[in-house]
């Protein structure tokens, strides 16, 4: 019957917390298991030696703790300028196709219909439109300080604080500034066409949802 193997950790752990005692005991133990012509001191030096406490738990030095401690350094988020330089939000040329975003428009119609069904009071619904998300909406420029923008119609694919980026039915990407522009928005579920003043939407869509709007006089262009 095979003899049970000696627990080497118990043998070393019984020597207490003295580093010198632990080192000498480890060297003596190494000598028992290596060839006579091998230096036990060199083997000990090459080993990743550590002490064990009375509970046989490795005793880690302060230097080792610093090495094992994960770094708390936080990665710095990209600035808006860096994001633009990396073209993170640019739409690939092959994706500038009206038909690719038609399903997004259908989703938006379902979303706006749900808003409309929450209450048929026109004033309440107009307030909700100020906070609504326009990604997927089909809008048309009916007035603008830039006459070349008038008549542009398409699906909104991106919205920033100052711009509506939309793709037209001719597969062109148009960047329309909100300031100085009046848009027309058709809502087929209630058979109405609304006029939206871009000057009132100069807020990012995510922030607009939580913003409290105060009544303002309409600024014509």
């Amino acid at each position: 019957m095979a003899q049970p193997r000696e627990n080497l950790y118990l043998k070393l752990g019984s020597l207490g917390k003295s580093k010198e005692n632990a080192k000498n005991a480890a060297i003596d133990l190494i000598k028992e298991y290596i060839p006579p012509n091998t230096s036990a001191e060199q083997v000990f030096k090459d080993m990743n030696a550590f002490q064990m406490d009375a509970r046989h738990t490795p005793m880690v030095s302060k230097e080792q703790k610093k090495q094992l401690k994960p770094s708390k350094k936080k990665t710095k988020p990209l600035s808006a300028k860096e994001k633009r330089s990396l073209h993170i939000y640019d739409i690939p040329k092959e994706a500038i196709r009206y038909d690719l975003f038609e399903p997004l428009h259908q989703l938006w119609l379902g979303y706006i219909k749900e808003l409309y069904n929450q209450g048929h009071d026109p004033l309440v619904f107009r307030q909700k439109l100020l906070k609504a998300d326009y990604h997927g909406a089909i809008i048309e420029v009916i007035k603008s300080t830039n006459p070349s923008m008038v008549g542009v119609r398409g699906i909104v694919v991106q919205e920033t604080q100052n711009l509506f980026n939309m793709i037209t039915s001719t597969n062109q990407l148009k960047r329309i500034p909100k300031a100085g522009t009046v848009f027309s928005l058709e809502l087929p579920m209630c058979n109405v066409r609304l006029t939206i003043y871009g000057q009132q939407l100069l807020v990012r869509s995510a922030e607009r949802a939580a913003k409290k709007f105060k009544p303002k006089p309409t600024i014509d262009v």
Side-chain angles (χ1 to χ4, degrees), residues 2-3 29 37 54 56 66 77 85 95 120 124 130 134 136 165 167 185 203:
Q3 295 294 324
L29 185 63
N37 59 346
H56 318 303
K66 287 180 181 179
S85 65
H120 299 292
V124 174
L130 286 175
Y134 288 92
N165 293 336
I167 293 180
L185 174 68
V203 185

Side-chain angles (χ1 to χ4, degrees), residues 30-195:
I30 290 169
K31 288 178 181 178
E32 297 179 18
Y33 292 93
I34 61 174
N37 59 346
T38 305
S39 170
E41 287 80 1
Q42 186 61 41
V43 172
F44 179 83
K45 187 177 179 181
D46 294 338
M47 290 171 61
N48 185 17
F50 56 84
Q51 278 188 279
M52 306 287 287
D53 62 15
R55 293 174 297 178
H56 318 303
T57 304
M59 296 171 62
V60 184
S61 66
K62 290 183 179 180
E63 292 75 14
Q64 289 173 317
K65 284 182 180 179
K66 287 180 181 179
Q67 293 176 358
L68 296 172
K69 192 175 182 180
S71 175
K72 291 184 178 180
K73 188 177 180 181
K74 294 182 180 179
T75 55
K76 186 179 178 181
L78 294 174
S79 65
K81 185 177 180 180
E82 289 171 331
K83 289 177 182 178
R84 286 194 296 270
S85 65
L86 293 172
H87 305 287
I88 289 177
Y89 298 121
D90 287 6
I91 300 175
K93 289 184 179 180
E94 61 272 15
I96 302 177
R97 287 171 43 195
Y98 187 85
D99 62 304
L100 287 179
F101 291 93
E102 285 182 318
L104 178 63
H105 174 59
Q106 295 302 319
L107 286 173
W108 185 84
L109 288 177
Y111 156 73
I112 209 68
K113 183 178 180 181
E114 186 177 335
L115 278 185
Y116 180 73
N117 289 336
Q118 289 175 3
H120 299 292
D121 186 339
L123 293 177
V124 174
F125 183 58
R126 286 173 186 172
Q127 283 296 316
K128 289 179 180 179
L129 280 177
L130 286 175
K131 298 184 177 186
D133 190 322
Y134 288 92
H135 290 89
I138 294 179
I139 59 176
E140 182 179 353
V141 178
I142 56 175
K143 276 187 181 183
S144 176
T145 52
N146 182 354
S148 64
M149 295 289 183
V150 176
V152 175
R153 182 176 184 271
I155 299 175
V156 176
V157 294
Q158 286 178 331
E159 181 187 354
T160 67
Q161 182 174 348
N162 300 303
L163 293 172
F164 277 128
N165 293 336
M166 55 190 192
I167 293 180
T168 67
S169 57
T170 56
N171 298 327
Q172 292 180 306
L173 179 64
K174 296 289 185 179
R175 293 178 170 85
I176 312 296
K178 295 177 183 178
T181 307
V182 181
F183 302 93
S184 174
L185 174 68
E186 187 176 356
L187 302 178
M189 79 288 298
C190 50
N191 296 319
V192 296
R193 183 180 289 272
L194 300 175
T195 299

